[in-house]
Amino acid sequence: MPLIVNGTSVPLPEDPRVSLLDLLRETLHLTGTKKGCNQGACGACTVLVGDERILSCLALAVQFDGQEITTIEGIGTLAELHPLQQAFVEHDGFQCGYCTPGQICSAIAMVAEARAGVPSHVSEDLSLDNFPLSHDELRERMSGNLCRCGAHNGIIAAIQATYAVEQQQESGIVEAAE
Ligand code: FES
Ligand code: FES
């Protein structure tokens, strides 16, 4: 079966040793996904498999036979940015931008994890089924995505602006804007 990348069927590579990252960048020319360390330490290569975030440098493309992969090219367009992309612009969430595609893919899945009741290392009450996106939770949950420019404060601010207020509105802590 093929891979589905951003909604398009893509044949599996003949060489089973090809990483998902190299398939995306070298074969499909989807260069939004970045190669930083190529050894699982920086998060620049983060993409989504279904709703989950993975490091594409550590994954073989053939592992994802028949599965749906979303890269940054499938998340928003210049004409229509995803709300999180817009928030990165408004909150200075990047400088060189090299880590940004990975940060955005990671944050989208991270929010889904918190909302599904997956605790982090700093979660105090493990019984929650929807973890609040506090500053400390976001710092911890995004700690696998490094930013060499030091834009971490802007990145956390952008994620909070996009999702934490929304989460508070859902739980009735703050009222939804008209
Ligand atoms: Fe994959 Fe750094 S390039 S984690
Ligand atoms: Fe430059 Fe993050 S914006 S590495």
Side-chain angles (χ1 to χ4, degrees), residues 73-141:
E73 290 88 349
I75 287 176
T77 64
L78 268 182
E80 196 170 347
L81 294 177
H82 183 283
L84 183 57
Q85 290 174 312
Q86 185 63 42
F88 266 63
V89 173
E90 293 169 2
H91 292 271
D92 285 334
F94 59 93
Q95 187 173 319
C96 75
Y98 198 82
C99 71
T100 312
Q103 300 278 5
I104 288 178
C105 289
S106 186
I108 289 170
M110 177 276 297
V111 169
E113 290 162 15
R115 288 178 172 169
V118 179
S120 79
H121 183 63
V122 300
S123 301
E124 291 179 4
D125 181 356
L126 302 184
S127 68
L128 297 180
D129 55 12
N130 185 356
F131 285 89
L133 299 174
S134 65
H135 186 265
D136 286 350
E137 281 279 4
L138 290 179
R139 298 282 299 196
E140 171 61 22
R141 289 174 186 272

Side-chain angles (χ1 to χ4, degrees), residues 14-90:
E14 288 181 14
D15 185 343
R17 298 168 298 176
V18 173
S19 71
L20 180 60
L21 177 59
D22 283 344
L23 177 80
L24 294 171
R25 288 183 56 85
E26 310 300 332
T27 305
L28 305 179
H29 306 296
L30 294 170
T31 54
T33 305
K34 302 303 187 212
K35 184 181 279 189
C37 63
N38 205 28
Q39 57 181 19
C42 74
C45 64
T46 307
V47 299
L48 302 174
V49 178
D51 294 331
E52 294 185 2
R53 51 183 170 173
I54 65 149
L55 299 174
S56 61
C57 71
L58 292 186
L60 297 173
V62 292
Q63 288 175 248
F64 302 100
D65 198 0
Q67 297 194 57
E68 295 202 19
I69 312 290
T70 305
T71 68
I72 192 68
E73 290 88 349
I75 287 176
T77 64
L78 268 182
E80 196 170 347
L81 294 177
H82 183 283
L84 183 57
Q85 290 174 312
Q86 185 63 42
F88 266 63
V89 173
E90 293 169 2

Side-chain angles (χ1 to χ4, degrees), residues 91 111 115 131-134 138 156-177:
H91 292 271
V111 169
R115 288 178 172 169
F131 285 89
L133 299 174
S134 65
L138 290 179
I156 297 303
I159 299 170
Q160 275 197 309
T162 307
Y163 294 108
V165 171
E166 189 182 303
Q167 188 183 45
Q168 289 171 343
Q169 288 168 350
E170 286 168 2
S171 61
I173 296 172
V174 297
E175 292 186 5

